[in-house]
Amino acid sequence: MTKRTNAKLDSEHFSLSSIFRSQVFFLIMIMVVIGVIVTLINPRFLSVRNLFNIVLSVSTIGIVCVGMGTVLISGNFDLTLGPMISILGIVMALMISRFSIGLTLIAVVALGALIGAFNGVLVTRVRAHSFIVTLALSVVYEGVALLLAGGTYISLEGRFRIFAERAWGVIPAPTLVFVAVIIGAFIVYRFTKFGRLLFAIGGNEKAAYLGGVKVRLYKVLAFSLAGGLYGIGAIVLISQLGVVYPSTGFGYTLPALAAIAVGGIALSGGKGSALGIFLGAVLFGLISNALVLTGVDPFWRNVAAGFLILFAVGVSGIVEQ
Amino acid sequence: MEQLGEKRILAMRGICKFYPGVKALEDVDFDLYRGEVHSLVGKNGAGKSTLIEILAGSVKADRGEMEIFGKKFDYLTPVESLNLGIGTIHQVDQLIEGMSVAENVLIDNLKTNRAGFYSLKNCIESTKKILDFIDVYIDPRRMVSTLSPVERKILCIARAFSQEVKILILDEPTASLDKEVEDKLFNVIKSIKQKGVGIIYISHNLGEIFELKDRVTVLRDGKKISTEYVEKIDEESLIAGMIGTKAKAYEKKYKKFNGKVKLKVDGYSAKGVLHDITFKLREGEIFGIGGLMGSGRTELLKMLFGAFNKDSGRLIYEGKDVTPKTPINAIKNGIGLLTEDKKSDGLMMEMPVYKNISLIELVKNGDFFLRLKKERNQARRMQSDLNIAVPSVGQIVKFLSGGNQQKVVLAKWLMANSKIILLDEPTVGIDVGAKEEIYNLINSLSREGKIFIIVSSDNQELISISDRIGIMKRGRMVKILEGGEITEENILKYSL
């Protein structure tokens, strides 16, 4: 009897300490700390509008983070993210003046998935690290974006501005998509065989292969899913902006990678959660919002934001150990 | 012992170390004399690693004191430990592949010439002196990647001796070595010992301890059970001390197998790797494969599983051709492979037990959504069937002992309903008690109709679990031993 209670205590102790050691708990703590400090300096921080602004500011990057994160979980990098957003945004702008909105949106997402699948096929066939393969592809896609747009910007001319609006005047439309994508990712990661096998491949590719997992197929599917999500991200972003430059998406790749890393997705694969990606992205928005509200000099914001991210990653590494 | 008093270089007294929920060490005494080999044995988790980590300064004891060369310490830092002349050779070496022997030996002490520039020539000179000191010859110019496993081990020792070492800790140095080359390592150890260095030797292989002599301390569940002169004890009492009960000697009864032929391995060949491997298994038989490393044993298993390209060969199970072309094929045909290196290709170390157990079953079934509850329950059933010692099936695999990890891999294949199970080195790095359990599992599964083909370098193991043993040599199966022919001498004779 005593033995039983001991075992029970042990397992409770284990789960409790694992909560404290989890990245998610740690991220929430950092957010609370930053939130409290900023609120003391500037009470406007806690207003509903401002909180929604924070989530809005990271909605696009959050959506594409799920794509890149899914690839990362399966043990690969995908650095084509930024240029793909540009290409897909340009295609959307070009199509929307000629075709119906519905067809345009479907085509953009489908094209994203197709390019993603192509990336995946190359990564699984070329005997080089996915980091290099997708880096090379991203250079190609930057060129393609410039070619498609003819080197200049394309305007939506006022069409399809739905993502510049707020539902019930409060909740920004992009945020709804972001949250939906996160919930989708949560379901895929937790409850589907597809998700589980991606984690298995990232966790130990050889073991997965010897366990009969169609490793190549699943990797291609992960890239394809990511491409589709870049499509959704591009739609949300360009609809908000109303105009697309060839370079619009270029700057998204590395911040997305950083947000994912902060969110606890292991760069070596096999580890991560939808909630982690959500919090990683939101922490990004929170930091830049906090720096604005506390009146930090704009030139210093990047410096401060960079160090805060480094701090977050560094401390969470220690916490995990 | 009194007369040795002045030569005592290390005394640890009443060492305690507690981790949450675990007493890793409880009131342990340990001492070491100049020029002696003092072996440390015990099952995995008995506290051996913690004890040497305390000496190396990477772990602080919660209680107890240490007296090293007459000075008293409550704890050591890693730097203090090194400065005292304590060197540790870890089980897994940390050599730099792309560098020469000399550079690896002197990695933190590279030599310069008079002008202050790095000098390979001087490095080679110093390395030669160190290698002379430990009485071996390896060309200091050779690249580490060209060294054999035993040479790598010796290189690690040489590296420790780039500084003055008075206490050398060897953690399972023979775990990755073939039996035939162990002597080379033992010669080095014996020569270091003569130079007055005290050696702490950790091993699962009790034969080595009797060869290296001096004293042996048995740990069990963090407590010291005994310290004895090796001459005064025998293997049986050592094992008894380690597992806590008197070990029953494994009695081998050779059965005659007259049943139907269940499995035929027919003409497996691959150019330069295997030549026409053919053998049969009857109902209920366990087939062992012996031979040296590199004789093609592992490649054969991989080919039988479809994970290695072959030129020809067929696998016939109950009269049907089930030859797999890929692992996916093999799994569909009920074949399972437990590889030698669980970490690199058997388990997802960062994931919980149940996700590892369900992997293959998951791949096989057609579901889109996972059935989490069923998955966990099935894993729990496997846990109790195979007696996997974990508090919950949610435990992360990397925290399990080697024996339990092996059981998880086995559970994975049983979960997938494998009928033909290929095992490569099933008990490497696994402690004595868990070994016995794994043998018993294999036996009972075999009685239930599973077919086992087992590759092992441990001849005792082969003898105790197999009904027949095929010996491989340079890609050929040179002999199949049965019944009374199965002896350690025969296995060696045909292997060499």
Side-chain angles (χ1 to χ4, degrees):
Chain A
M1 195 60 211
T2 37
K3 211 174 171 190
R4 257 189 96 112
T5 26
N6 274 343
K8 202 176 161 218
L9 276 177
D10 277 355
S11 71
E12 268 170 20
H13 173 88
F14 176 78
S15 60
L16 206 68
S17 71
S18 75
I19 288 174
F20 283 120
R21 267 185 274 137
S22 77
Q23 192 112 3
V24 164
F25 175 78
F26 170 73
L27 286 174
I28 293 172
M29 287 311 292
I30 285 198
M31 287 180 184
V32 169
V33 170
I34 295 180
V36 168
I37 295 171
V38 178
T39 311
L40 290 176
I41 300 172
N42 188 342
R44 258 200 309 145
F45 175 81
L46 264 190
S47 69
V48 173
R49 194 166 178 88
N50 186 54
L51 292 181
F52 272 121
N53 276 342
I54 293 174
V55 186
L56 169 63
S57 70
V58 294
S59 288
T60 300
I61 204 167
I63 293 165
V64 295
C65 270
V66 172
M68 193 194 245
T70 305
V71 173
L72 218 52
I73 283 169
S74 74
N76 281 312
F77 280 88
D78 185 4
L79 302 182
T80 63
L81 182 147
M84 273 185 72
I85 292 177
S86 287
I87 291 181
L88 296 167
I90 292 163
V91 169
M92 172 185 162
L94 289 174
M95 280 186 76
I96 212 159
S97 55
R98 296 182 190 107
F99 303 99
S100 74
I101 287 175
L103 180 65
T104 304
L105 300 189
I106 290 170
V108 167
V109 175
L111 180 66
L114 202 66
I115 301 177
F118 174 71
N119 295 342
V121 169
L122 279 185
V123 164
T124 52
R125 294 287 161 180
V126 176
R127 286 184 180 276
H129 197 281
S130 57
F131 189 94
I132 301 299
V133 175
T134 57
L135 182 65
L137 284 171
S138 79
V139 177
V140 173
Y141 295 157
E142 281 188 14
V144 172
L146 288 161
L147 285 170
L148 273 179
T152 176
Y153 69 90
I154 302 168
S155 169
L156 293 189
E157 289 156 2
R159 293 185 189 89
F160 193 61
R161 298 303 307 274
I162 184 171
F163 287 114
E165 286 163 25
R166 287 179 188 239
W168 308 288
V170 195
I171 307 171
T175 302
L176 291 176
V177 180
F178 176 33
V179 171
V181 166
I182 291 289
I183 291 170
F186 178 77
I187 292 169
V188 170
Y189 293 171
R190 269 288 179 86
F191 300 115
T192 69
K193 180 169 146 181
F194 170 70
R196 172 67 67 75
L197 293 184
L198 289 184
F199 277 88
I201 293 167
N204 189 339
E205 186 173 334
K206 275 193 201 160
Y209 172 72
L210 291 177
V213 180
K214 291 173 179 157
V215 173
R216 277 187 181 154
L217 173 70
Y218 278 94
K219 284 186 167 182
V220 171
L221 287 176
F223 271 98
S224 181
L225 180 72
L229 285 164
Y230 302 160
I232 296 174
I235 290 167
V236 170
L237 178 68
I238 306 309
S239 165
Q240 262 176 284
L241 299 175
V243 60
V244 54
Y245 290 84
S247 62
T248 296
F250 291 179
Y252 274 80
T253 309
L254 292 181
L257 189 59
I260 293 168
V262 170
I265 307 269
L267 295 186
S268 51
K271 247 180 171 180
S273 67
L275 187 59
I277 297 176
F278 177 79
L279 293 173
V282 170
L283 180 66
F284 256 65
L286 187 82
I287 288 174
S288 54
N289 182 271
L291 293 170
V292 173
L293 287 189
T294 48
V296 173
D297 179 286
F299 292 156
W300 281 102
R301 273 182 217 152
N302 269 357
V303 177
F307 275 118
L308 274 172
I309 291 161
L310 200 57
F311 173 77
V313 179
V315 176
S316 71
I318 297 167
V319 171
E320 231 185 317
Q321 280 194 353
Chain B
M1 273 223 199
E2 287 303 298
Q3 73 275 20
L4 290 169
E6 82 242 47
K7 290 200 283 177
R8 182 152 78 179
I9 51 180
L10 166 73
M12 303 171 88
R13 291 185 205 99
I15 302 290
C16 297
K17 178 72 200 175
F18 308 115
Y19 291 109
V22 191
K23 288 177 185 161
L25 288 175
E26 207 180 340
D27 214 13
V28 170
D29 296 337
F30 184 84
D31 60 358
L32 185 69
Y33 291 83
R34 246 174 74 82
E36 106 169 313
V37 176
H38 191 160
S39 298
L40 202 50
V41 299
K43 295 198 288 182
N44 289 338
K48 295 167 297 179
S49 311
T50 312
L51 194 67
I52 62 171
E53 278 167 6
I54 287 171
L55 267 181
S58 50
V59 168
K60 273 184 201 171
D62 292 326
R63 230 181 291 147
E65 60 161 20
M66 293 180 271
E67 194 179 320
I68 305 169
F69 306 114
K71 268 201 267 179
K72 287 194 173 157
F73 297 89
D74 288 333
Y75 65 89
L76 295 171
T77 65
V79 176
E80 276 174 337
S81 170
L82 277 179
N83 289 342
L84 282 167
I86 300 174
T88 309
I89 311 297
H90 295 283
Q91 198 177 340
V92 180
D93 65 47
Q94 282 126 16
L95 299 173
I96 304 165
E97 301 287 332
M99 282 190 170
S100 67
V101 167
E103 285 161 316
N104 266 284
V105 168
L106 300 168
I107 189 68
D108 43 10
N109 193 15
L110 288 173
K111 301 295 173 203
T112 51
N113 58 21
R114 257 174 289 158
F117 288 105
Y118 164 66
S119 159
L120 183 59
K121 210 179 109 201
N122 292 346
C123 281
I124 289 170
E125 285 306 309
S126 313
T127 304
K128 271 187 185 152
K129 273 183 215 148
I130 293 167
L131 291 171
D132 278 349
F133 179 77
I134 62 170
D135 266 344
V136 281
Y137 181 75
I138 301 173
D139 185 349
R141 287 179 203 82
R142 273 176 70 189
M143 281 291 160
V144 164
S145 48
T146 69
L147 297 181
S148 69
V150 67
E151 284 171 328
R152 294 177 73 104
K153 237 349 139 201
I154 291 170
L155 175 55
C156 291
I157 295 176
R159 177 145 92 172
F161 278 90
S162 71
Q163 274 147 359
E164 203 189 351
V165 170
K166 295 179 205 137
I167 296 174
L168 186 69
I169 302 166
L170 288 154
D171 189 2
E172 290 203 48
T174 55
S176 55
L177 300 184
D178 253 339
K179 213 118 204 97
E180 293 69 36
V181 296
E182 282 174 0
D183 280 344
K184 268 191 174 175
L185 180 71
F186 294 161
N187 288 339
V188 171
I189 293 172
K190 284 169 188 163
S191 107
I192 298 168
K193 176 182 155 173
Q194 300 219 311
K195 306 252 157 68
V197 175
I199 294 164
I200 301 173
Y201 191 88
I202 295 176
S203 179
H204 281 312
N205 189 332
L206 302 180
E208 295 167 9
I209 285 153
F210 287 96
E211 158 136 27
L212 289 168
K213 294 264 163 52
D214 295 335
R215 292 186 299 158
V216 54
T217 288
V218 180
L219 292 180
R220 184 173 77 227
D221 303 329
K223 297 192 196 79
K224 188 177 104 169
I225 302 301
S226 65
T227 298
E228 300 275 2
Y229 282 96
V230 169
E231 282 97 349
K232 292 184 184 158
I233 47 161
D234 55 18
E235 197 161 321
E236 213 170 297
S237 63
L238 263 188
I239 293 175
M242 285 160 72
I243 60 182
T245 50
K246 194 116 174 103
K248 62 166 173 36
Y250 200 94
E251 257 183 57
K252 188 76 203 170
K253 287 191 220 90
Y254 290 105
K255 296 166 274 182
K256 256 287 185 216
F257 288 92
N258 300 317
K260 283 187 300 185
V261 171
K262 271 274 213 188
L263 184 78
K264 264 204 276 190
V265 174
D266 189 14
Y268 267 73
S269 303
K271 211 168 173 246
V273 187
L274 288 184
H275 306 277
D276 193 24
I277 307 288
T278 300
F279 58 91
K280 284 179 208 163
L281 269 87
R282 288 180 192 280
E283 211 156 8
E285 253 188 326
I286 298 174
F287 193 82
I289 297 178
L292 303 182
M293 272 186 209
S295 60
R297 304 172 311 184
T298 298
E299 289 77 5
L300 173 63
L301 287 196
K302 287 203 167 145
M303 264 178 232
L304 293 175
F305 188 67
F308 199 102
N309 286 334
K310 64 177 188 324
D311 298 332
S312 61
R314 287 189 316 153
L315 191 63
I316 314 282
Y317 178 71
E318 291 182 336
K320 271 184 293 180
D321 189 331
V322 295
T323 319
K325 285 190 195 67
T326 62
I328 296 171
N329 262 192
I331 288 163
K332 277 196 190 125
N333 294 341
I335 306 169
L337 171 68
L338 283 79
T339 55
E340 177 180 359
D341 189 347
K342 298 180 283 286
K343 274 192 187 106
S344 89
D345 51 22
L347 288 167
M348 298 165 297
M349 300 299 283
E350 302 278 348
M351 290 195 190
V353 169
Y354 77 94
K355 287 187 186 174
N356 273 283
I357 291 180
S358 67
L359 178 73
I360 299 164
E361 199 264 338
L362 205 70
V363 173
K364 281 175 89 175
N365 76 31
D367 297 348
F368 180 78
F369 283 104
L370 301 170
R371 297 184 201 177
L372 294 171
K373 206 159 188 182
K374 189 177 155 209
E375 183 185 23
R376 264 186 183 259
N377 284 336
Q378 282 175 332
R380 280 198 199 103
R381 219 180 49 229
M382 277 294 163
Q383 179 196 2
S384 73
D385 282 0
L386 303 192
N387 197 13
I388 304 172
V390 283
S392 109
V393 290
Q395 176 74 290
I396 302 293
V397 168
K398 74 172 169 191
F399 297 123
L400 270 56
S401 69
N404 282 316
Q405 287 180 351
Q406 184 66 289
K407 287 185 197 166
V408 172
V409 187
L410 190 57
K412 175 167 87 169
W413 289 105
L414 294 176
M415 194 74 241
N417 225 344
S418 305
K419 296 186 220 73
I420 305 163
I421 297 176
L422 313 168
L423 279 159
D424 197 356
E425 302 285 6
T427 62
V428 160
I430 291 178
D431 65 67
V432 179
K435 268 185 190 179
E436 199 76 18
E437 271 191 82
I438 292 198
Y439 300 156
N440 289 336
L441 265 176
I442 292 172
N443 272 318
S444 68
L445 288 166
S446 158
R447 276 194 295 275
E448 284 166 26
K450 307 273 185 207
I451 287 182
F452 282 94
I453 300 179
I454 299 170
V455 161
S456 177
S457 298
D458 180 345
N459 295 335
Q460 292 287 351
E461 169 170 301
L462 272 182
I463 292 169
S464 65
I465 46 179
S466 346
D467 298 307
R468 286 187 303 147
I469 300 174
I471 308 294
M472 292 195 58
K473 182 175 161 184
R474 291 203 201 108
R476 289 170 205 277
M477 190 160 280
V478 288
K479 174 79 185 169
I480 295 177
L481 302 168
E482 22 194 325
E485 293 173 318
I486 301 183
T487 60
E488 206 163 354
E489 294 75 40
N490 273 340
I491 295 178
L492 270 177
K493 193 174 93 189
Y494 289 105
S495 301
L496 296 172

